[in-house]
Amino acid sequence: MIEVEELCVTLGRREILSNVGFTASAGTMTVIVGPNGSGKTTLLRAISGELASTGTIRINGRDSRTMKAFELAALRAVLPQATALSFPFTVREVVGLGLNGASAKLPPEEVERLPEEALRRVDLAGFAGRFYQELSGGEQQRVQLARVLCQVWSPVTQEGPRWLFLDEPVSSLDIRHQLVIMRLAARFAAAGGGVLAVLHDLNLTAMFADKVVMMHDGRARAIGSPSEVLTDDLLEDVFECRLGVGVVPPGPFVLPQSATR
Amino acid sequence: MTLDILLPAAAKRRSLPLGDRSFVAKATIVLLALLLLATFLFSLTAGASDVSPLPLLRDLVFGGGEVSARDRLIIGDIRLPRAVLGSLVGASLAVSGAVMQGLFRNPLADPGLVGVSAGAGLGAIIIIVLGSGVLAPVIAPLGIYALPFAAFFGGLLTTWILYQVATRRGQTSIATMLLAGIALGALAGAVSGILVFLANDAQLRDLTFWGLGSLAGATWVKIAAAGPIIVAALLAAPFLARSLNAMALGEAAAHHLGIPVQRMKLIAIVTVSAATGASVAVSGGIGFVGIVVPHLLRLLIGPDNRYLLPASALLGAVMLLLADAISRTIVAPAEFPIGIVTAAVGAPFFLWILLRRRGVLDL
Ligand SMILES: Nc1ncnc2c1ncn2[C@@H]1O[C@H](COP(=O)(O)OP(=O)(O)OP(=O)(O)O)[C@@H](O)[C@H]1O
Ligand SMILES: [Mg+2]
């Protein structure tokens, strides 16, 4: 369980988040939506302990601010919105970085197997020997996801459920891989872990989210199930754009829900 | 049997996992260690007085009188301390470079670049120029330790100022630090210039030779003064390896991976300034080892610091011993400052890295 209460973040002189509060349960996927600049990334960064903030943040009942970096790392993995990598690491080496803290405790066979298994799950089997910098944007994004998966490989441990924080995990993926990754996250949640994801795609949100937090101007404007939050009026209010929820627009379109495979 | 120890499990199964360069890296480290041994022995034999390696080796191992008393004196009092100091300084320069590059996420970062060497140099110059005058009462009790200590504190002070300038609310900005380092280096250079202007002829000759970098003055006393600091820094470096690997993804991602980023940066900075300060004190400005060695190794074994740091230490020592051998033999019986040798090789190499950086892979 992640509990956030009265969370405020100030960057520079601006208050970016004001009094944000919500809870996210293990075993479910909580999706944060909202327009550009509404504070989604800031919210995720504050919860992951990267930004100074005021208010309460509890992960599995513990005050996250009293936890050390390695304790947090054992509990949650974070996929940032963008990752730069210096130095020419191979894909395998990048994914292996996810095992950084844990590899001392894992048997050597696992250290060897997990990166390959993680790459297979993000549909990058056989990419281990390639150089990261030589991959396409979408492939790089999936490599980073594989790294993050390695860090919290088993969704539940003795210390309780573990968490995936994903900031726009499918932003540069094609439609098939969007589904691959979203299903991967859903499976992580189904196995008892918790997923907290920022998404721009409202269709995927409606399809996969158990709970939606809609951000607007640094506040949580609405919290609830997809059907409660994704309404015509709220969307118009927040995105300043009249959208008909559930109304088929004219012209050709492809619905991700239509996939049968 | 020995091979069993050397070969990791993965290699015995004969199928190395795709993209895993750890086996190549370990093999490289073993080879470099052997190479260092050979180079070390070679550097004991090379120079104005010829001593062939085999009799020397037999003499060292079994005793006996194959090597003349005069040669033994040359080796024991001149070449051995020189080779030991050369190995220490070479390892220290290369590891400092590798750590700093990991910290700054930039293959061109080097203690020379962020002003640490310049600060250490200023400390040394102060002692050389003012040591016999204004500062005489202060440094007299320190004796010959004055120079190494002054350089060490100069390096540490520079790094400390650098850290204060670049750190806000516990966050160190790498970009600010690089720029501040350039400014501090220039400032230290300017003050050094004023001191050089004030120096008399004898001091000037000292300064020039020292500034070009040289191992010529190697003595056991110098090793006793600088060696422990260098060895401590070299031993500390491997503990930074995992953190530096994570830093390749950026500070935020390193934090997510469980690295105590601020503390690790502080340790890295102190390690680098200690190693650099001690090296500069005993050998002057020997440039480019810290850039060339890690870069070559990254091409060979990849950027994983768990292997890069020990390999850099070994190859740095090898390179400096070879450069020193060149500097001693090229105009024998006179000597050529080693700093000129490393710069003549290193500077073009540096430019080559800059040119190649336009590609994707050559970071
Ligand atoms: N380091 C910073 N200093 C000052 N303001 C910042 C900083 N980072 C972000 N902001 C501001 O905070 C607000 C929220 O940014 P945030 O990155 O959280 O938005 P977001 O909801 O993730 O947007 P996007 O959909 O574009 O990713 C923006 O107005 C942004 O300009
Ligand atoms: Mg964002």
Side-chain angles (χ1 to χ4, degrees):
Chain A
M1 179 93 147
I2 288 181
E3 298 152 279
V4 176
E5 287 159 24
E6 295 176 6
L7 186 71
C8 298
V9 173
T10 307
L11 293 174
R13 257 183 232 118
R14 267 181 64 205
E15 187 171 66
I16 307 289
L17 292 183
S18 7
N19 280 319
V20 176
F22 71 94
T23 60
S25 312
T28 68
M29 192 184 307
T30 306
V31 174
I32 303 168
V33 298
N36 290 145
S38 56
K40 306 181 296 297
T41 296
T42 308
L43 177 59
L44 213 58
R45 289 173 68 198
I47 298 173
S48 60
E50 190 185 323
L51 290 178
S53 56
T54 60
T56 315
I57 305 167
R58 274 193 299 272
I59 301 183
N60 296 354
R62 291 182 65 186
D63 180 354
S64 81
R65 292 199 191 85
T66 64
M67 292 169 74
K68 297 213 162 30
F70 77 90
E71 292 175 307
L72 281 169
L75 218 53
R76 58 101 183 95
V78 186
L79 179 75
Q81 189 167 355
T83 317
L85 181 73
S86 38
F87 303 114
F89 284 96
T90 62
V91 165
R92 183 195 180 79
E93 287 165 345
V94 174
V95 177
L97 288 176
L99 295 171
N100 210 359
S103 61
K105 286 172 235 145
L106 287 173
E109 309 88 64
E110 286 288 280
V111 174
E112 207 176 295
R113 189 183 64 87
L114 285 191
E116 246 146 55
E117 177 66 17
L119 281 170
R120 206 182 48 71
R121 288 201 193 173
V122 298
D123 197 29
L124 284 177
F127 277 65
R130 301 269 301 270
F131 280 107
Y132 180 82
Q133 275 91 349
E134 287 180 346
L135 300 184
S136 76
E139 287 164 349
Q140 289 185 346
Q141 194 172 26
R142 282 184 280 144
V143 171
Q144 292 295 344
L145 192 78
R147 167 179 71 79
V148 165
L149 269 183
C150 268
Q151 191 183 335
V152 289
W153 189 255
S154 22
V156 187
T157 64
Q158 296 103 310
E159 268 105 273
R162 291 161 117 190
W163 295 83
L164 278 176
F165 296 170
L166 310 173
D167 197 347
E168 302 193 19
V170 297
S171 55
S172 43
L173 302 188
D174 64 67
I175 193 158
R176 181 168 82 84
H177 287 112
Q178 290 186 2
L179 285 166
V180 167
I181 297 309
M182 290 310 296
R183 284 172 180 160
L184 184 62
R187 233 181 303 137
F188 185 86
V195 178
L196 187 56
V198 173
L199 288 181
H200 272 304
D201 189 321
L202 298 176
N203 288 315
L204 287 177
T205 305
M207 193 173 161
F208 286 97
D210 297 297
K211 184 186 227 177
V212 180
V213 178
M214 186 177 273
M215 296 294 296
H216 188 214
D217 283 340
R219 291 165 200 280
R221 178 70 170 72
I223 300 169
S225 68
S227 51
E228 284 165 352
V229 175
L230 302 177
T231 63
D232 290 11
D233 290 343
L234 264 173
L235 287 179
E236 177 174 11
D237 196 20
V238 168
F239 288 94
E240 290 165 30
C241 172
R242 186 70 199 167
L243 295 155
V245 174
V247 177
V248 173
F253 60 92
V254 181
L255 288 175
Q257 287 94 332
S258 66
T260 53
R261 187 164 76 85
Chain B
M1 185 59 214
T2 22
L3 214 63
D4 264 7
I5 298 165
L6 292 180
L7 291 177
K12 271 185 247 160
R13 280 201 315 280
R14 267 191 227 100
S15 69
L16 287 171
L18 216 54
D20 187 347
R21 290 179 278 186
S22 61
F23 175 66
V24 180
K26 284 172 193 164
T28 305
I29 289 175
V30 172
L31 287 179
L32 283 175
L34 296 175
L35 186 62
L36 176 58
L37 225 77
T39 318
F40 191 88
L41 199 66
F42 167 72
S43 82
L44 291 182
T45 64
S49 163
D50 260 328
V51 183
S52 33
L54 272 180
L56 172 68
L57 197 59
R58 277 201 296 270
D59 195 72
L60 285 177
V61 177
F62 306 111
E66 282 186 66
V67 178
S68 73
R70 182 178 151 274
D71 281 349
R72 194 172 296 160
L73 198 72
I74 288 179
I75 287 169
D77 284 357
I78 299 175
R79 290 199 190 152
L80 195 57
R82 189 168 180 152
V84 170
L85 196 69
S87 311
L88 285 175
V89 168
S92 147
L93 291 175
V95 169
S96 301
V99 170
M100 204 139 238
Q101 284 144 28
L103 188 65
F104 287 163
R105 301 154 40 78
N106 189 319
L108 297 177
D110 185 67
L113 195 76
V114 295
V116 180
S117 301
L122 177 58
I125 289 174
I126 288 176
I127 297 298
I128 292 176
V129 176
L130 304 178
S132 52
V134 202
L135 288 178
V138 189
I139 67 161
L142 285 172
I144 84 162
Y145 290 97
L147 191 71
F149 273 102
F152 172 51
F153 283 114
L156 211 58
L157 187 68
T158 316
T159 319
W160 183 77
I161 296 174
L162 207 58
Y163 194 76
Q164 293 304 313
V165 171
T167 306
R168 291 259 160 72
R169 277 183 251 105
Q171 298 286 315
T172 306
S173 151
I174 296 301
T176 313
M177 190 158 172
L178 275 172
L179 293 173
I182 291 170
L184 279 173
L187 189 64
V191 178
S192 303
I194 295 172
L195 287 169
V196 170
F197 189 71
L198 295 175
N200 62 31
D201 277 357
Q203 291 168 341
L204 217 51
R205 218 172 21 249
D206 272 3
L207 279 175
T208 311
F209 208 71
W210 175 85
L212 290 173
S214 171
L215 292 172
T219 57
W220 290 114
V221 177
K222 274 195 183 175
I223 293 174
I229 299 174
I230 293 178
V231 169
L234 289 178
L235 290 178
F239 291 98
L240 291 166
R242 279 179 188 282
S243 307
L244 290 173
N245 285 348
M247 280 290 280
L249 293 161
E251 287 187 30
H255 168 76
H256 297 150
L257 284 168
I259 307 296
V261 175
Q262 294 305 319
R263 200 178 68 206
M264 167 264 173
K265 282 197 286 193
L266 194 67
I267 297 173
I269 284 169
V270 170
T271 304
V272 166
S273 59
T276 309
S279 302
V280 167
V282 290
S283 62
I286 299 178
F288 295 104
V289 177
I291 286 182
V292 173
V293 169
H295 191 85
L296 279 179
L297 285 169
R298 254 183 236 113
L299 294 176
L300 193 64
I301 64 174
D304 187 332
N305 287 284
R306 284 175 298 171
Y307 310 114
L308 184 65
L309 293 177
S312 293
L314 294 168
L315 187 59
V318 169
M319 291 276 231
L320 209 67
L321 287 178
L322 288 180
D324 187 48
I326 293 176
S327 81
R328 275 187 291 157
T329 45
I330 199 167
V331 289
E335 269 195 34
F336 209 61
I338 189 176
I340 293 182
V341 178
T342 60
V345 179
F349 189 84
F350 187 86
L351 288 174
W352 177 67
I353 301 177
L354 283 176
L355 287 173
R356 274 183 36 116
R357 276 202 68 182
R358 292 179 195 161
V360 207
L361 254 192
D362 34 22
L363 270 169

